Amino acid sequence: MDATIPVSSDDDSANQEIARQYDERPYASEAFYFSSPAHIQAAAHLYGVAAPTPQRARVLEIGCAAGGNLLPFALAYPDAEVVGVDLSPVQIEAGQQVLARAGVKNMTLHAMSLTDIGPEFGKFDYIIAHGVFSWVPPAVREALMKLCHTHLTDEGVAYISYNTYPGWKAGDIVRDAMTLHAHGLTSGKERVESARAVINMFKQGMAGSNVLGAALRKVLNALDGLPDYYLEHEYLETFNSPCYLVEFADMAMRNGLNHLGDAQPQLEISANYGQKLQLNLSLIAIGQPRLIRQQYLDFLVGQNFRKSLLVQLARQVEMLHQPDPVRASGLRLAAHFDKVDAPADADPRQGGQWLRDQGGVMICADTAAMQAVTDMLSQTWPRSLTVVELVEGIDMPPADIERAWLHLVSVGRVLLVQDRTPYDTASQAMAPSLIPGVMALLNPGGRNESQVALSNLWHCPVRWKPDGAQFWAMSQMDGQRSESMLSKLLRDAWQQGSVQGPNGESLKGQRNLDALAQRFIRTLLEILRRHALRLS
């Protein structure tokens, strides 16, 4: 079957308009850990399905922007083959410049429509389409499904994210008001200004009797602080077509694909939403197919965004009825937790230590075993651990340790991977060294002026920006210079005035800077470890 799907002239015009909008206001290109092939492989394992090993996988991303969601995978797995396609020539060119600076040889980017992808592209072990499906014409959505079936290997997994009902019903109302108010406006700046005026209208003038008030306020609060490009592309695009899970799964099946589950399996575990929901869902879903059960769950939780994993139809016999967290015993776990104060709305009767994970989500470690497991994972980070290593490394009853790690997996508070990562294979005896690509994305002073956001090899975005002295010290970390050598180099650079001090001041000519330089390097190395930006 040829993956090139014919489209009408209207669809061609729509593609050109979409490309123009993204050229005019490029979307920040960053990584999403749940779309990483290594994570997808682990998630598929929880659903009972084996997926190709990432090390030598062929990976295709549709709507790759400047490649920010592919770059960390390409850097982590240099023997993999990575291909990105996007309508916007401006974003593709920006991504190609980053690849050249970083010296990446296993990743290519193409400015083209997904409907122009033909047999010459071959088959892929993983196909990713994040933020595409809901925002393109109907014929292109159909083409995307056909492409996934035609170009996916027999054992491969496709990932497609999309806005979904019922949660997006309130978003539709806000979007309708925005598009009405922006009618006739052509410049992106004017359209965004009009959209923000609508947000203000809702927030300041919504009647207290509005029966959808709570849902609308949730949408409006989520829009606070979001950048203009997100507002324009999420709410003001020509196309934004949410659908129900069962509608999406039906389209997939008509195109030879099976809906495996969400890339964040915890979203499909009803126990995570409380006993009352779990009980009532079980009662109404007795005898119902797996997809209908999940659709009922979406109704109950108000799901508004899904990240669906798809496999070829023939693999249906392997799929579990729902994700099984116990299967994580065959995976590797990784996480970093910071100790924080209890949130203001926490039950004061609840004991334990409150923690914030690497994604900023808070969790309470309310048992000694949970505290021990989170401590061990944090100390090991960014390396990963097997369940056996967790059990053997903590002097507590194995059953208690199992309950702790199983809970962390069930609620999605740990990163999962099937095989050892580059962090695990790097020699810990080496002098400090950075992960590949970091310096190519940063300029002196820590600024990232490219369209590609900084991320680590866990496929997680990194919001931290080094200052001038930190950037200089990072540039000296080549895996050959020890911590003490780095401290001496920094001391000399401070004394010579070639590098500013920790607070931007000049230390030129000053003496006795050894202790300050040692503390600076030690602190910087810990920051880099916490952000998973160093291999050793």
Side-chain angles (χ1 to χ4, degrees), residues 377-395:
L377 287 169
S378 298
Q379 292 165 11
T380 306
W381 174 263
R383 291 176 288 127
S384 62
L385 291 170
T386 65
V387 168
V388 171
E389 289 170 332
L390 274 173
V391 171
E392 292 180 347
I394 299 174
D395 186 19

Side-chain angles (χ1 to χ4, degrees), residues 290-325:
R290 178 178 62 92
L291 271 170
I292 298 299
R293 178 187 178 91
Q294 286 303 322
Q295 183 62 75
Y296 286 151
L297 181 59
D298 280 10
F299 282 134
L300 293 174
V301 302
Q303 193 66 259
N304 68 347
F305 189 69
R306 271 195 167 271
K307 304 162 293 297
S308 288
L309 303 181
L310 304 172
V311 295
Q312 302 286 15
L313 274 180
R315 307 202 72 186
Q316 184 172 3
V317 294
E318 305 171 48
M319 295 162 47
L320 298 178
H321 187 67
Q322 62 182 10
D324 182 6

